[in-house]
Structures are given as structure tokens and as C-alpha cells.
Amino acid sequence: MKFDPMIHGFWILGSVFLAVSVLLLGNIEFVEGTTQFSYWFTVVLAFVLLLAAGLLWISASVNARR
């Protein structure tokens, strides 16, 4: 398979999104000083990044099959 920037770009960008999502979820704690909004915003943001990573990997695999 030759180097295709679209395939490899989606794959790498998906990995970055996954890494950021895992970092957010691994470090979030509901401690004193944390607001409900900031806690749930971080959880939702990490979930959206996880979904985006999955979509990018699916796009990369579909483009690789062509």
C-alpha cells in the first residue's frame, strides 16, 4: 500500500483524539472546587472525542479498502 495522506492523516488524528480523551477521563475527579458544569462538560467532551476518533478510524479503513 502506497502512502496516502488522507488514510494516514485520519489514522493519526484519530489516535490523537483518543489520547486526549483518555487523558481527560483519566484525570477527572469531582473534588472540592469542581463545579457540576465543568465535570460533566469534561465527560461529554471526552466522549465526543472518543466518538470522533472512531469515526476517523472508520473513514481511514474505508479509504484504505478503495
Side-chain angles (χ1 to χ4, degrees), residues 4 8 15 17 22-23 28-29 46 50 54 59:
D4 186 5
H8 292 87
S15 298
F17 280 12
V22 168
L23 285 173
I28 189 168
E29 288 184 40
L50 184 63
S59 298

Side-chain angles (χ1 to χ4, degrees), residues 21-60:
S21 175
V22 168
L23 285 173
L24 286 173
L25 287 175
N27 289 320
I28 189 168
E29 288 184 40
F30 198 80
V31 294
E32 186 177 351
T34 305
T35 63
Q36 286 275 16
F37 176 75
S38 66
Y39 179 81
W40 287 110
F41 180 76
T42 305
V43 170
V44 170
L45 178 65
F47 182 68
V48 168
L49 287 172
L50 184 63
L51 290 177
L55 287 175
L56 286 168
W57 285 341
I58 290 169
S59 298

Side-chain angles (χ1 to χ4, degrees), residues 2-26:
K2 65 182 178 108
F3 180 79
D4 186 5
M6 188 171 218
I7 295 170
H8 292 87
F10 283 168
W11 180 55
I12 292 168
L13 193 58
S15 298
V16 169
F17 280 12
L18 180 68
V20 171
S21 175
V22 168
L23 285 173
L24 286 173
L25 287 175

